[in-house]
Amino acid sequence: MTAPIRKVLLVGANGSLGSDVLDALVAAGSFDVSILQRSNSSSKPAHADRITTIPVSPVMTLDELQTAVTGQDAVIAAFPLKDVTQHLRLAEAAFHAGVRRYIPADYGSCDASRPQPQKYLQLYRDKDAVQKKCAELAASASAASKPFTWTSIVCGHFFDWAVRHEHLGLDIDGRKALLLDGGVTKASMSTMPQVAKAVVAVLQRPEVTENRFVHIQGFCVTPLEVVAAFERATGAVWHKETVDSNALLEREFEKYKAGDDHAVHEIVYVLGAVDADWTTLPTFAMDLLGLEEENLDKVVADLVAEHSAKKA
């Protein structure tokens, strides 16, 4: 019987996803939570009276990371892959320090190990490199009877974040939607609080989640179903335009190669919409993790109300 995971270190606690993960870890009431914070950061984390803050330099060297993670049962990476070397060092530090579970910053809108995502974006090549590093370290740990294991959580698009930043072809103000391939392809998506619940569930089930991917979702719906939910929430008929996903992907890829950083979001949007139905995969883990699906209409209604409040 594997001992429960108690001591958890979160890296990226002040980020969009990390803040939700921190909330969920604290709310679970079963973890001794620490966060890693760069010494040049002025951010003030939530739950300051219930967590421990461990400072680290902005460089995040292997030695200082190993010191920081020593004594932890689990380390969660929830910060962006802007510098993949930091993520590789964090995983290696966790291995050397005897950390039992490492959760890398995957949380993908699509499966980063597949050839198509890797063809288009360095982001997915970096995610795949980190996952391969975790698998390599876990194999070495097993051979040496060390405790290191990993779990990669793949959740589909961050639905709430994407809607707020208009990265799903949705324009709330203009009541407009861009539909890929007629809007009939189902895709798994999750809100960030749902992903945070998955992180907690993984830590609470260390035996059945070790050294594997877990694919989770808030809901698996078509773009037409998403737009219908927005029509119900706004009380208006939306204008719908359809576009060929391959044509859009190639167009945005050319923009990306020319230096248009915004094109990254469009590429991620397409890749996470055309091949992201997790319900068909053997790694689909909603039942394994004890997770319930989210209510699309409620999520959309809350986002519309939030958007309206910001504009008021």
Side-chain angles (χ1 to χ4, degrees), residues 1 12 56 58 74 79 97 114 121 126 139 141 152 175 187 208 245 255 260 266 300:
M1 183 73 176
V56 67
F79 63 108
R114 294 178 179 176
L121 289 179
D126 287 346
S152 282
R175 306 295 197 255
V208 296
S245 59
K255 290 181 181 179
D260 184 350
E266 296 302 311
V300 168

Side-chain angles (χ1 to χ4, degrees), residues 25 39 76 95 112 119 135 141 162 168-169 186 231 254 271 282 296:
L25 289 171
S39 57
I76 303 162
F95 165 77
K119 170 187 173 182
L168 287 181
K186 285 184 175 291
E231 289 181 329
E254 290 304 315
L271 293 174
L296 175 63

Side-chain angles (χ1 to χ4, degrees), residues 169-171 174-184 222-232 234 236-243 269:
L170 300 167
D171 177 0
R175 306 295 197 255
K176 294 185 296 185
L178 183 67
L179 305 177
L180 300 178
D181 305 325
V184 296
T222 68
L224 282 173
E225 289 172 321
V226 170
V227 175
F230 273 96
E231 289 181 329
R232 289 190 289 272
T234 58
V237 176
W238 282 38
H239 173 74
K240 305 170 190 68
E241 178 185 353
T242 188
V243 62
Y269 160 51

Side-chain angles (χ1 to χ4, degrees), residues 157-185:
H157 280 304
F158 291 150
F159 183 80
D160 47 350
W161 184 91
V163 168
R164 291 179 183 121
H165 293 84
E166 296 186 6
H167 292 323
L168 287 181
L170 300 167
D171 177 0
I172 297 177
D173 289 331
R175 306 295 197 255
K176 294 185 296 185
L178 183 67
L179 305 177
L180 300 178
D181 305 325
V184 296
T185 302

Side-chain angles (χ1 to χ4, degrees), residues 103-108 151-155 195 198-200 202 212-216 289:
I103 298 180
D106 200 331
Y107 320 111
T151 308
S152 282
I153 299 169
V154 186
C155 57
V195 180
V199 170
V200 169
V202 164
R212 57 165 294 174
F213 286 91
V214 291
H215 285 75
I216 65 108
L289 297 178

Side-chain angles (χ1 to χ4, degrees), residues 87-291:
H87 290 261
L88 294 170
R89 287 198 299 274
L90 184 60
E92 189 172 350
F95 165 77
H96 288 302
V99 171
R100 291 167 49 201
R101 181 61 50 88
Y102 183 75
I103 298 180
D106 200 331
Y107 320 111
S109 56
C110 60
D111 189 335
S113 67
R114 294 178 179 176
Q116 187 184 38
Q118 292 191 29
K119 170 187 173 182
Y120 287 102
L121 289 179
Q122 183 64 43
L123 168 66
Y124 297 115
R125 296 192 288 274
D126 287 346
K127 286 188 176 187
D128 188 54
V130 174
Q131 195 283 319
K132 283 184 167 63
K133 182 69 171 178
C134 290
E136 173 190 312
L137 293 171
S140 296
S142 178
S145 298
K146 295 181 69 172
F148 179 89
T149 60
W150 59 272
T151 308
S152 282
I153 299 169
V154 186
C155 57
H157 280 304
F158 291 150
F159 183 80
D160 47 350
W161 184 91
V163 168
R164 291 179 183 121
H165 293 84
E166 296 186 6
H167 292 323
L168 287 181
L170 300 167
D171 177 0
I172 297 177
D173 289 331
R175 306 295 197 255
K176 294 185 296 185
L178 183 67
L179 305 177
L180 300 178
D181 305 325
V184 296
T185 302
K186 285 184 175 291
S188 299
M189 295 176 275
S190 307
T191 67
M192 288 186 287
Q194 179 80 339
V195 180
K197 289 179 183 177
V199 170
V200 169
V202 164
L203 297 179
Q204 291 173 334
R205 297 163 174 79
E207 288 184 315
V208 296
T209 58
E210 72 172 43
N211 299 333
R212 57 165 294 174
F213 286 91
V214 291
H215 285 75
I216 65 108
Q217 65 187 28
F219 30 73
C220 185
V221 292
T222 68
L224 282 173
E225 289 172 321
V226 170
V227 175
F230 273 96
E231 289 181 329
R232 289 190 289 272
T234 58
V237 176
W238 282 38
H239 173 74
K240 305 170 190 68
E241 178 185 353
T242 188
V243 62
D244 179 79
S245 59
N246 289 323
L248 179 60
L249 187 59
E250 292 304 324
R251 185 186 76 198
E252 295 301 318
F253 186 48
E254 290 304 315
K255 290 181 181 179
Y256 170 66
K257 291 190 293 183
D260 184 350
D261 290 338
H262 179 74
V264 171
H265 298 295
E266 296 302 311
I267 294 170
V268 169
Y269 160 51
V270 176
L271 293 174
V274 298
D275 188 21
D277 181 351
W278 303 153
T279 64
T280 65
L281 301 179
T283 49
F284 186 57
M286 294 293 287
D287 289 341
L288 179 76
L289 297 178
L291 295 176

